[in-house]
Amino acid sequence: MAVLLLTGCRRETEPPQWDVDLLGPLISSTFTVQDLSDGGEFTSDADGNLSVRYTSELFALRLDTVYDVPDTSFIYRYGLPFPGPFNVPQNTVFYDQTDVTRFDLNDLQLNTLWVRSGTLGVTLTSAVPGDCIGRFGLPAALLNGTPFQVELPVAAGTPSDPSQAFGQYPLNGHRIDLRGPGFNEVNTLSTAIQVRTAQGIGTTVLTDQDSLIAEIAYAGIVADYARGYFGQPAFSVGPSIEPLNIFSELQAGSFDLESSTARLVITNGIGADVQAFIQQLEVSNTGSGQSLSLQHALLGGPVNVSRAVDLNGGFQTTTYTAVMDDGNSNFTELLELIPDQVSYAADLQVNPLGDISNGNDFFYYDSELRAELIVDVPLRLIATGITLESTFDPDLPGTSEGHGLQEGELKLFADNGFPFEGTIQLEIVDTDENVLDVLPVTGTVAPALLGPDLLVQQRVASELHAHVSPTQTDLLYQGTRVRVRIIFSTSDQSQHLTLLDSYALDLQITLGANYIVNGDE
Amino acid sequence: MSRWVALGFVLALSGTLPAQDPEFFLPDSADPVVRPGRHMLLVEGRFGYASNALRNEFVDAVRAGGFLSRETRQEALDGLADNNRFGQELGGGLVFLGCDSLFGKPWLQGQVALSHTDIVGGRFTRDLYGLAFFGNAPYEDRTAELAPSALEQQRYQQVGWGVVDHRSWSWARLSFVKGQSFQLVDVREGDLYTAPDGRVLDTRLDGTFSRSDTAQRGWDAFNGLGAALSGRWNHRLDLPWSDGRSDWLSVEVRDLGVVYWNDRSLYLDKDTVYAYEGLYVDNIFDVGDLVVDEEYFRDTLALNYGPKAQWRMLPAQAMVRLYTRPWQRIGLALSVRQVVIPGFVPEVGLQAWMHPSNAWRWGLAVRYGGFTTWQAGLQLEGAPGRHLYLHAELPDLVGLASPEGLGRAANAALGWRF
């Protein structure tokens, strides 16, 4: 509006300045219990009683990372077994060999392998004095019922100057029978290699000096499905630390929870039995430095997880669940630490009873052994000094050299539907979080009024004030930050109070500021 | 005093107009004419600021820059009415009258003119001023009325060609207009309610906002192209009291035309109501991620301009004047003038011209309206010697001398006849 008035009469340089008193709303928001947890899932029952569920994945073990199919090469050589010369007409096979290839797969004894991705490379090195065509086939590797077979031409060469040809072919989607030609072996693949002279080159004369070498290389094989006997390998998981963001927004204070329940769920998508030994499960609050170990029969004892069921094209997982509640564990005490991380360690044994599936262990590409910790906390609690904190860089107009904002009065209007009373701290801190100045806040957020059933009967409105002096305003332009702390306590410290999903705290912040027009640089 | 002595000295020493040119000044000398076959080069300039509410001391303080004290602003506020106006014009140009004849008519002469115009006019409510200079806090739990308020500013240059009819000194000119810049704010309806403690800002707005390309605003900016017609038609009367002396009825228009401002111009027409209760954040602790700036508020209130080419009328001026000379050495002119720009209301003027000689005349003028209220001015015009032509006018003597005046203005022209 000032621009409207002054456009016609102000000079281009050195614009006039004047101070105005501004008054208006800055921010409005509704605070709910959901804001306490970054990763929690809130649910409510028919009466509106809130619970928070938090799921933390401890580990997920995929067998394709354990049972690796290594890149493997095989070499086939041909040489005339007598001095020669030996005349070979055009388009005539002079080398034909059926062979088997045995893969070294450590503990795996596979009879079936479906290839998700991978390649087969063929390199022909020829000292034969005539053009040739090599043919390589895998009779037991079928793609839509057709065996794998490729042809690769190679030019004429000499013993002193052999020629070479290379071809690379995808194996994606091939289903390979690894039982060998007699269907009674494992990790064994039938191969067929054949070399013939090319068409239209006349007769090729071979001697015992001529040779042909074929190198077959399997690379990057990723299994889509594998079946066989997986052996009895043992793995260790952890010690490992995972974040536990169930109350991630809380910085300080304490809870007294009435109860909680946690479940350790181990899901097996692998067609092999697994035995697990949970060696350690501990939570800690990195802010306070406190930590506490779980006490439960689960620790130390074996946990047997049955194999998944092969549905021939898919699988059905099996699940093991261990419940930890106030009757059999100290898990509620763990939560009352307001932990922000969980550490664990476990030992795993595959097929603890040996090959009881008679070579029918399996895994699919998506198969994994996964362990999750699922925590359910009914929000019935006594809270004392629960502190939420946020530090931010104020985005203010102008610079430290020139800014129109001179001073201001922040007002916070709270309409509280929680049985919490709250105080607010505003501090100006440096980048290392050292307090440079405190913005005194007058007033508190009064708790909602409780009925005889200890549920909120009436919301209560409060008004808080904070004055920002000119000196403090200047300080806000010095690269400082503003730290806001809200400290909550339940209004009744003697009894657990239930939080309902209808509870909310409506907040509005207004600013009355003295501002110099054209004062920003 | 020395200035008045000097003026009298000039008047006494100045020669008379040639006898063959007895009506040189008539009907008006703002565009002085010469006899057929002669030429003239005229340079003219004008500056004027006026308001019906803002005193010179306030405007001076704004112009001077620096800090405007609350006392200064409050005094201005105390002087405001419900409907306040202001305006300013800064302009100048060059006119050449030439050619011995035109179209075979010896009484017709050609003219070429170059000119620059920078004009702004506005009207505003008392509350708008209050918001601008004191903020909205004084309006807590009150509604500030923002309408009707408007501001229009146009800067443009013209090059024109035309004819002068020496028989009546009527003339007409067609100009091409180069649009340098413009802006328009027209708040037809608007108010702002500030709730107690500032918890709600309730605004109602019906207005148009447009402006030319903001990237090019200097003298070399060519943001619009248009055409304008200017001219004056003089009709000689023989009123009974004039005893054969010349009486004239003049009808004049200036800058009657339009400019097409290019497609980089900005435009917004908005009719909305909005209750602002602050920026809503899902999580109060995410407040540090917020950026609240002018762009945010424009987005929130849907007040973003959009590019739009647009036609706009020039601030055309129309005037009707009756000039009579009931006595040999005294002439009277009654005029009504209107400029099509916000803040300008019809201006009625009465001028009295004294003709001490055929070479000079001076006059007193009283006007009411325009951008201001009453104005009393002084005019001087002369054609000393064979070649020179002078014109000077101080339309607001009070404003010129007093900080409590409501405007300042000066017009001057210098011509060379050959």
Side-chain angles (χ1 to χ4, degrees):
Chain A
M1 294 303 178
V3 172
L4 186 151
L5 278 173
L6 294 173
T7 300
C9 50
R10 74 176 167 84
R11 301 192 308 186
E12 294 296 327
T13 57
E14 297 180 18
Q17 296 182 335
W18 64 93
D19 67 309
V20 294
D21 296 318
L22 303 176
L23 179 63
L26 281 185
I27 294 166
S28 62
S29 183
T30 297
F31 178 80
T32 63
V33 174
Q34 280 85 340
D35 294 324
L36 291 175
S37 175
D38 190 28
E41 175 189 351
F42 287 82
T43 58
S44 57
D45 61 17
D47 296 326
N49 300 305
L50 268 177
S51 293
V52 60
R53 168 171 290 184
Y54 180 79
T55 301
S56 175
E57 182 178 280
L58 299 180
F59 63 83
L61 191 66
R62 294 172 59 99
L63 275 200
D64 62 349
T65 62
V66 178
Y67 294 117
D68 185 27
V69 180
D71 292 352
T72 307
S73 297
F74 301 94
I75 293 177
Y76 303 87
R77 300 175 187 276
Y78 166 76
L80 202 61
F82 49 88
F86 176 66
N87 293 333
V88 181
Q90 62 180 0
N91 197 26
T92 301
V93 175
F94 62 92
Y95 177 65
D96 188 353
Q97 182 176 346
T98 301
D99 201 353
V100 293
T101 299
R102 290 187 173 82
F103 292 92
D104 181 8
L105 301 178
N106 298 320
D107 293 329
L108 279 176
Q109 297 176 25
L110 299 183
N111 52 55
T112 302
L113 175 68
W114 297 355
V115 180
R116 183 179 185 85
S117 62
T119 59
L120 184 144
V122 178
T123 304
L124 291 177
T125 304
S126 175
V128 173
D131 296 348
C132 299
I133 297 173
R135 172 184 290 175
F136 183 80
L138 298 173
L142 305 179
L143 178 63
N144 299 322
T146 304
F148 177 87
Q149 181 172 281
V150 295
E151 284 193 344
L152 181 66
V154 58
T158 65
S160 60
D161 185 17
S163 64
Q164 198 168 59
F166 173 74
Q168 191 173 46
Y169 309 95
L171 289 173
N172 304 0
H174 282 81
R175 298 185 172 190
I176 303 175
D177 188 333
L178 291 174
R179 291 177 295 172
F183 302 104
N184 57 359
E185 298 179 77
V186 293
N187 300 345
T188 303
L189 181 60
S190 297
T191 59
I193 185 166
Q194 191 181 74
V195 182
R196 69 176 186 275
T197 51
Q199 181 79 32
I201 59 169
T203 299
T204 300
V205 180
L206 298 179
T207 70
D208 59 355
Q209 298 301 305
D210 304 326
S211 66
L212 191 142
I213 302 171
E215 181 180 357
I216 309 300
Y218 299 88
I221 301 296
V222 175
D224 211 18
Y225 171 74
R227 191 173 73 237
Y229 174 52
F230 293 172
Q232 292 182 293
F235 311 104
S236 290
V237 178
S240 183
I241 296 175
E242 300 291 336
L244 191 64
N245 294 323
I246 187 167
F247 296 120
S248 56
E249 302 295 334
L250 305 185
Q251 302 295 316
S254 62
F255 271 144
D256 182 353
L257 296 169
E258 189 174 68
S259 65
S260 70
T261 303
R263 287 175 294 150
L264 176 67
V265 179
I266 301 176
T267 305
N268 189 4
I270 300 166
D273 297 334
V274 176
Q275 190 172 60
F277 291 85
I278 310 297
Q279 305 293 1
Q280 175 201 353
L281 186 63
E282 182 180 282
V283 300
S284 56
N285 182 321
T286 54
S288 65
Q290 293 178 290
S291 60
L292 192 61
S293 294
L294 175 69
Q295 295 173 10
H296 187 270
L298 176 72
L299 273 77
V303 172
N304 294 311
V305 188
S306 301
R307 67 182 58 237
V309 179
D310 193 346
L311 302 178
N312 295 320
F315 61 96
Q316 179 179 324
T317 61
T318 59
T319 302
Y320 168 85
T321 302
V323 178
M324 295 160 275
D325 56 25
D326 294 330
N328 64 10
S329 76
N330 62 340
F331 198 81
T332 300
E333 291 177 43
L334 268 63
L335 286 182
E336 289 174 349
L337 283 186
I338 313 178
D340 58 2
Q341 64 183 29
V342 56
S343 60
Y344 62 89
D347 293 328
L348 304 175
Q349 169 81 55
V350 178
N351 284 325
L353 301 178
D355 187 12
I356 61 172
S357 70
N358 194 26
N360 283 304
D361 298 345
F362 71 90
F363 71 84
Y364 283 86
Y365 178 75
D366 297 326
S367 295
E368 62 181 8
L369 182 69
R370 187 174 69 247
E372 293 176 319
L373 183 66
I374 302 173
V375 181
D376 288 299
V377 186
L379 292 180
R380 186 168 169 79
L381 50 85
I382 298 172
T384 306
I386 292 298
T387 302
L388 291 85
E389 179 182 299
S390 177
T391 305
F392 60 88
D393 300 313
D395 180 38
L396 300 172
T399 66
S400 57
E401 286 74 30
H403 51 88
L405 190 62
Q406 300 300 296
E407 60 181 316
E409 176 93 2
L410 289 165
K411 290 184 180 179
L412 185 143
F413 299 91
D415 190 25
N416 193 2
F418 279 105
F420 293 138
E421 59 186 348
T423 58
I424 294 179
Q425 295 176 353
L426 291 175
E427 295 166 328
I428 302 174
V429 299
D430 62 16
T431 52
D432 296 326
E433 301 276 312
N434 298 311
V435 177
L436 303 176
D437 206 343
V438 175
L439 305 176
V441 179
T442 57
T444 60
V445 178
L449 299 179
L450 295 176
D453 55 358
L454 295 180
L455 297 177
V456 169
Q457 198 171 47
Q458 185 179 345
R459 298 165 70 103
V460 172
S462 306
E463 186 176 324
L464 290 76
H465 296 227
H467 182 75
V468 185
S469 69
T471 305
Q472 290 167 332
T473 304
D474 290 340
L475 192 57
L476 290 174
Y477 283 89
Q478 306 299 321
T480 56
R481 312 184 75 202
V482 175
R483 185 164 66 199
V484 183
R485 282 187 174 139
I486 304 180
I487 303 162
F488 287 116
S489 297
T490 45
S491 53
D492 188 335
Q493 290 284 301
S494 63
Q495 303 182 76
H496 291 91
L497 298 181
T498 301
L499 299 187
L500 302 183
D501 58 359
S502 58
Y503 290 177
L505 169 62
D506 293 328
L507 296 169
Q508 187 189 33
I509 300 174
T510 67
L511 172 67
N514 184 257
Y515 180 80
I516 294 182
V517 177
N518 295 324
D520 291 328
E521 288 185 359
Chain B
M1 179 60 76
S2 58
R3 278 179 287 180
W4 297 110
V5 172
L7 179 59
F9 184 74
V10 169
L11 287 172
L13 291 183
S14 59
T16 59
L17 285 171
Q20 66 272 27
D21 202 7
E23 294 176 339
F24 175 82
F25 296 111
L26 295 181
D28 181 35
S29 57
D31 289 310
V33 294
V34 296
R35 292 187 62 203
R38 298 188 65 192
H39 312 288
M40 181 172 190
L41 185 64
L42 180 78
V43 179
E44 57 118 0
R46 60 193 181 281
F47 167 78
Y49 161 79
S51 171
N52 71 333
L54 297 175
R55 293 179 176 176
N56 289 343
E57 56 190 346
F58 176 79
V59 178
D60 290 344
V62 171
R63 289 179 186 281
F67 191 81
L68 289 175
S69 70
R70 283 203 168 236
E71 182 183 10
T72 300
R73 286 176 275 150
Q74 185 63 46
E75 285 177 358
L77 179 65
D78 293 342
L80 296 182
D82 289 336
N83 185 16
N84 308 283
R85 310 186 309 274
F86 72 94
Q88 173 180 286
E89 181 177 8
L90 176 65
L94 192 67
V95 179
F96 174 73
L97 300 180
C99 306
D100 292 340
S101 65
L102 209 57
F103 310 123
K105 313 290 186 187
W107 58 85
L108 291 181
Q109 194 170 30
Q111 61 165 308
V112 178
L114 297 171
S115 68
H116 166 80
T117 303
D118 179 352
I119 185 168
V120 57
R123 57 177 175 269
F124 58 96
T125 65
R126 190 175 192 276
D127 286 347
L128 181 62
Y129 173 92
L131 280 181
F133 286 96
F134 293 95
N136 70 320
Y139 290 86
E140 184 176 356
D141 200 20
R142 288 169 54 201
T143 298
E145 299 293 341
L146 309 180
S149 295
L151 169 81
E152 181 171 6
Q153 180 177 29
Q154 292 202 37
R155 288 194 182 104
Y156 53 94
Q157 292 82 39
Q158 299 182 76
V159 53
W161 298 265
V163 296
V164 178
D165 184 343
H166 285 268
R167 295 172 300 181
S168 64
W169 316 123
S170 299
W171 58 270
R173 185 165 65 220
L174 177 66
S175 302
F176 289 104
V177 183
K178 165 187 163 293
Q180 181 183 335
S181 65
F182 90 97
Q183 60 177 319
L184 170 71
V185 179
D186 184 9
V187 184
R188 294 179 289 273
E189 289 186 55
D191 55 42
L192 175 70
Y193 171 73
T194 303
D197 295 313
R199 298 190 65 176
V200 179
L201 295 178
D202 222 334
T203 183
R204 182 173 61 96
L205 182 65
D206 176 12
T208 300
F209 311 85
S210 59
R211 63 188 309 173
S212 54
D213 182 12
T214 54
Q216 303 288 333
R217 288 188 288 189
W219 277 88
D220 57 340
F222 204 146
N223 293 317
L225 180 64
L229 188 65
S230 299
R232 182 166 62 214
W233 173 74
N234 295 319
H235 177 66
R236 184 163 188 159
L237 304 174
D238 289 315
L239 298 176
W241 56 76
S242 297
D243 195 20
R245 290 179 290 273
S246 54
D247 303 310
W248 292 89
L249 175 67
S250 299
V251 178
E252 178 178 322
V253 294
R254 287 179 183 257
D255 297 352
L256 179 63
V258 293
V259 171
Y260 180 75
W261 297 91
N262 63 30
D263 57 8
R264 293 185 298 277
S265 304
L266 303 173
Y267 182 83
L268 171 69
D269 188 74
K270 201 72 187 174
D271 184 1
T272 186
V273 292
Y274 193 83
Y276 181 68
E277 298 182 26
L279 177 65
Y280 186 84
V281 292
D282 289 331
N283 188 330
I284 190 72
F285 289 99
D286 293 339
V287 66
D289 300 331
L290 302 176
V291 176
V292 181
D293 53 13
E294 182 182 342
E295 185 177 1
Y296 160 74
F297 283 108
R298 284 188 181 279
D299 287 341
T300 301
L301 301 175
L303 290 178
N304 281 312
Y305 289 98
K308 180 184 178 183
Q310 49 202 292
W311 292 92
R312 288 215 59 79
M313 276 197 65
L314 289 173
Q317 177 183 154
M319 182 168 67
V320 177
R321 176 169 46 196
L322 176 64
Y323 181 87
T324 182
R325 199 163 172 178
W327 301 281
Q328 178 61 30
R329 293 194 174 275
I330 297 177
L332 297 174
L334 179 65
S335 63
V336 179
R337 185 170 74 106
Q338 174 64 11
V339 180
V340 184
I341 197 165
F344 198 97
V345 299
E347 179 191 79
V348 179
L350 179 63
Q351 297 165 286
W353 285 103
M354 313 300 171
H355 297 251
S357 72
N358 283 337
W360 291 94
R361 69 175 182 173
W362 62 275
L364 296 172
V366 178
R367 297 184 182 88
Y368 183 83
F371 290 118
T372 181
T373 56
W374 288 101
Q375 284 183 318
L378 180 67
Q379 302 172 92
L380 175 67
E381 196 163 33
R386 180 173 177 78
H387 300 291
L388 197 58
Y389 167 77
L390 295 170
H391 172 90
E393 181 177 3
L394 299 174
D396 187 357
L397 290 174
V398 175
L400 200 64
S402 170
E404 296 186 355
L406 294 171
R408 290 193 180 92
N411 304 328
L414 180 64
W416 187 256
R417 298 172 292 156
F418 54 97

